[in-house]
mmCIF file of all heavy atoms in Angstrom:
data_model
loop_
_atom_site.group_PDB
_atom_site.id
_atom_site.type_symbol
_atom_site.label_atom_id
_atom_site.label_comp_id
_atom_site.label_asym_id
_atom_site.label_seq_id
_atom_site.Cartn_x
_atom_site.Cartn_y
_atom_site.Cartn_z
ATOM 1 N N MET D 6 149.145 176.533 42.075
ATOM 2 C CA MET D 6 149.679 176.952 43.371
ATOM 3 C C MET D 6 151.092 176.413 43.567
ATOM 4 O O MET D 6 151.979 177.123 44.061
ATOM 5 C CB MET D 6 148.769 176.482 44.504
ATOM 6 C CG MET D 6 149.251 176.904 45.892
ATOM 7 S SD MET D 6 149.372 178.701 46.125
ATOM 8 C CE MET D 6 147.632 179.099 46.366
ATOM 9 N N ASN D 7 151.315 175.164 43.200
ATOM 10 C CA ASN D 7 152.660 174.602 43.325
ATOM 11 C C ASN D 7 153.669 175.404 42.512
ATOM 12 O O ASN D 7 154.789 175.677 42.968
ATOM 13 C CB ASN D 7 152.663 173.143 42.858
ATOM 14 C CG ASN D 7 151.864 172.236 43.777
ATOM 15 O OD1 ASN D 7 151.449 172.649 44.863
ATOM 16 N ND2 ASN D 7 151.638 171.009 43.350
ATOM 17 N N GLN D 8 153.278 175.786 41.306
ATOM 18 C CA GLN D 8 154.171 176.570 40.459
ATOM 19 C C GLN D 8 154.428 177.953 41.048
ATOM 20 O O GLN D 8 155.554 178.456 41.007
ATOM 21 C CB GLN D 8 153.577 176.687 39.052
ATOM 22 C CG GLN D 8 153.540 175.359 38.306
ATOM 23 C CD GLN D 8 152.795 175.447 36.987
ATOM 24 O OE1 GLN D 8 152.035 176.404 36.747
ATOM 25 N NE2 GLN D 8 152.996 174.466 36.123
ATOM 26 N N LEU D 9 153.388 178.566 41.607
ATOM 27 C CA LEU D 9 153.541 179.886 42.222
ATOM 28 C C LEU D 9 154.513 179.822 43.400
ATOM 29 O O LEU D 9 155.403 180.675 43.534
ATOM 30 C CB LEU D 9 152.170 180.399 42.679
ATOM 31 C CG LEU D 9 152.096 181.804 43.281
ATOM 32 C CD1 LEU D 9 150.735 182.426 43.004
ATOM 33 C CD2 LEU D 9 152.330 181.780 44.789
ATOM 34 N N LEU D 10 154.356 178.817 44.245
ATOM 35 C CA LEU D 10 155.242 178.682 45.396
ATOM 36 C C LEU D 10 156.687 178.449 44.955
ATOM 37 O O LEU D 10 157.631 178.993 45.556
ATOM 38 C CB LEU D 10 154.765 177.535 46.288
ATOM 39 C CG LEU D 10 153.402 177.740 46.971
ATOM 40 C CD1 LEU D 10 152.960 176.457 47.657
ATOM 41 C CD2 LEU D 10 153.461 178.889 47.964
ATOM 42 N N THR D 11 156.863 177.663 43.902
ATOM 43 C CA THR D 11 158.212 177.414 43.389
ATOM 44 C C THR D 11 158.846 178.704 42.894
ATOM 45 O O THR D 11 160.029 178.979 43.159
ATOM 46 C CB THR D 11 158.164 176.372 42.253
ATOM 47 O OG1 THR D 11 157.647 175.143 42.762
ATOM 48 C CG2 THR D 11 159.545 176.133 41.679
ATOM 49 N N ARG D 12 158.076 179.524 42.182
ATOM 50 C CA ARG D 12 158.600 180.806 41.693
ATOM 51 C C ARG D 12 159.014 181.713 42.852
ATOM 52 O O ARG D 12 160.066 182.361 42.813
ATOM 53 C CB ARG D 12 157.563 181.517 40.817
ATOM 54 C CG ARG D 12 157.313 180.870 39.468
ATOM 55 C CD ARG D 12 156.695 181.865 38.483
ATOM 56 N NE ARG D 12 155.505 182.513 39.016
ATOM 57 C CZ ARG D 12 154.266 182.016 38.922
ATOM 58 N NH1 ARG D 12 154.075 180.844 38.322
ATOM 59 N NH2 ARG D 12 153.241 182.684 39.408
ATOM 60 N N LEU D 13 158.183 181.762 43.882
ATOM 61 C CA LEU D 13 158.505 182.613 45.024
ATOM 62 C C LEU D 13 159.782 182.145 45.720
ATOM 63 O O LEU D 13 160.625 182.966 46.118
ATOM 64 C CB LEU D 13 157.343 182.620 46.016
ATOM 65 C CG LEU D 13 156.109 183.437 45.615
ATOM 66 C CD1 LEU D 13 154.986 183.218 46.619
ATOM 67 C CD2 LEU D 13 156.445 184.919 45.517
ATOM 68 N N LEU D 14 159.926 180.859 45.877
ATOM 69 C CA LEU D 14 161.131 180.329 46.526
ATOM 70 C C LEU D 14 162.370 180.574 45.680
ATOM 71 O O LEU D 14 163.470 180.795 46.219
ATOM 72 C CB LEU D 14 160.960 178.845 46.834
ATOM 73 C CG LEU D 14 159.937 178.538 47.945
ATOM 74 C CD1 LEU D 14 159.637 177.055 48.012
ATOM 75 C CD2 LEU D 14 160.443 179.047 49.296
ATOM 76 N N ASP D 15 162.207 180.560 44.355
ATOM 77 C CA ASP D 15 163.330 180.905 43.474
ATOM 78 C C ASP D 15 163.738 182.371 43.681
ATOM 79 O O ASP D 15 164.939 182.703 43.698
ATOM 80 C CB ASP D 15 162.953 180.677 42.010
ATOM 81 C CG ASP D 15 162.880 179.194 41.656
ATOM 82 O OD1 ASP D 15 163.430 178.365 42.421
ATOM 83 O OD2 ASP D 15 162.279 178.866 40.617
ATOM 84 N N GLN D 16 162.738 183.252 43.846
ATOM 85 C CA GLN D 16 163.035 184.664 44.094
ATOM 86 C C GLN D 16 163.772 184.839 45.424
ATOM 87 O O GLN D 16 164.708 185.635 45.529
ATOM 88 C CB GLN D 16 161.737 185.477 44.116
ATOM 89 C CG GLN D 16 161.025 185.556 42.774
ATOM 90 C CD GLN D 16 159.673 186.242 42.886
ATOM 91 O OE1 GLN D 16 159.446 187.050 43.789
ATOM 92 N NE2 GLN D 16 158.762 185.921 41.973
ATOM 93 N N VAL D 17 163.347 184.086 46.423
ATOM 94 C CA VAL D 17 164.000 184.143 47.727
ATOM 95 C C VAL D 17 165.452 183.690 47.611
ATOM 96 O O VAL D 17 166.366 184.309 48.173
ATOM 97 C CB VAL D 17 163.235 183.281 48.752
ATOM 98 C CG1 VAL D 17 164.033 183.124 50.040
ATOM 99 C CG2 VAL D 17 161.864 183.880 49.043
ATOM 100 N N ALA D 18 165.671 182.628 46.860
ATOM 101 C CA ALA D 18 167.038 182.126 46.680
ATOM 102 C C ALA D 18 167.908 183.165 45.984
ATOM 103 O O ALA D 18 169.097 183.331 46.317
ATOM 104 C CB ALA D 18 167.011 180.825 45.880
ATOM 105 N N ASP D 19 167.326 183.886 45.020
ATOM 106 C CA ASP D 19 168.071 184.931 44.313
ATOM 107 C C ASP D 19 168.503 186.050 45.262
ATOM 108 O O ASP D 19 169.474 186.767 44.977
ATOM 109 C CB ASP D 19 167.235 185.511 43.180
ATOM 110 C CG ASP D 19 167.031 184.521 42.038
ATOM 111 O OD1 ASP D 19 167.812 183.542 41.957
ATOM 112 O OD2 ASP D 19 166.086 184.714 41.243
#
Side-chain angles (χ1 to χ4, degrees):
M6 181 60 78
N7 293 350
Q8 292 173 343
L9 183 150
L10 294 172
T11 299
R12 290 201 307 273
L13 285 174
L14 290 169
D15 287 343
Q16 293 174 25
V17 170
D19 291 341

